Amino acid sequence: MGRVIKSEAEWRAQLSPEEYHVLREAGTERPFTGEYTDTTTEGVYRCRACSAELFRSDTKFESHCGWPSFFTPLAEERVRYVEDLSMGVRRTEVRCARCDSHLGHVFSGEGYDTPTDLRYCINSVSLTLEPASQA
């Protein structure tokens, strides 16, 4: 999977202001407002910035946190992790490994009944969904 490198001007031209804020400035969409929060469509979730395949619908679960939640990425090399101390607590930011766009955060030990005990809390605006019928 080749890296995607663009200037900030190129990203601004490609992305809407909200997409740019979340993907390139590590912003967060408001909870319970995202396009994929409650989606149950089968398919592949891709990075909105570079179209890299990141998550599959069969790893998505209802966490009731206000953002789409997954218990594992498609493959570990599809994402990268960055320590985030921006809220005064230690969190783990999740970024697209291909274009370095902000996706959300991953949390562990919350007690969800999933195979990994992880919750990838991902902004809908960071993703596009390719339904299984199109994949």
Side-chain angles (χ1 to χ4, degrees), residues 1 4 9 17 20 29 32-33 35 43 46 63 66-67 70 86 112 122 126-127:
M1 186 167 69
V4 173
Y20 184 86
E29 66 193 0
F32 301 102
T33 63
E35 177 180 7
R46 295 175 173 272
S63 66
W67 294 273
F70 303 86
S86 65
Y112 289 104
I122 306 298
S126 296
L127 303 170

Side-chain angles (χ1 to χ4, degrees), residues 55 59-73 81 91-94 104-123:
F55 299 95
T59 66
K60 188 174 186 280
F61 69 100
E62 291 196 27
S63 66
H64 308 287
C65 70
W67 294 273
S69 297
F70 303 86
F71 60 80
T72 192
Y81 304 99
R91 299 185 301 166
T92 303
E93 178 185 5
V94 180
H105 290 84
V106 62
F107 303 94
S108 64
E110 296 179 314
Y112 289 104
D113 186 21
T114 62
T116 63
D117 196 30
L118 297 174
R119 177 173 58 95
Y120 286 78
C121 183
I122 306 298
N123 291 283

Side-chain angles (χ1 to χ4, degrees), residues 23-96:
L23 289 159
R24 305 309 305 166
E25 299 176 324
T28 302
E29 66 193 0
R30 289 188 346 263
F32 301 102
T33 63
E35 177 180 7
Y36 302 122
T37 302
D38 298 317
T39 300
T40 58
T41 303
E42 291 183 25
V44 175
Y45 288 88
R46 295 175 173 272
C47 175
R48 189 173 299 261
C50 73
S51 298
E53 293 184 355
L54 299 172
F55 299 95
R56 292 199 185 275
S57 60
D58 60 358
T59 66
K60 188 174 186 280
F61 69 100
E62 291 196 27
S63 66
H64 308 287
C65 70
W67 294 273
S69 297
F70 303 86
F71 60 80
T72 192
L74 183 88
E76 280 298 319
E77 68 270 7
R78 303 294 175 108
V79 296
R80 72 180 198 89
Y81 304 99
V82 178
E83 183 179 55
D84 177 3
L85 302 171
S86 65
M87 301 289 285
V89 295
R90 180 169 298 180
R91 299 185 301 166
T92 303
E93 178 185 5
V94 180
R95 291 187 162 264
C96 175

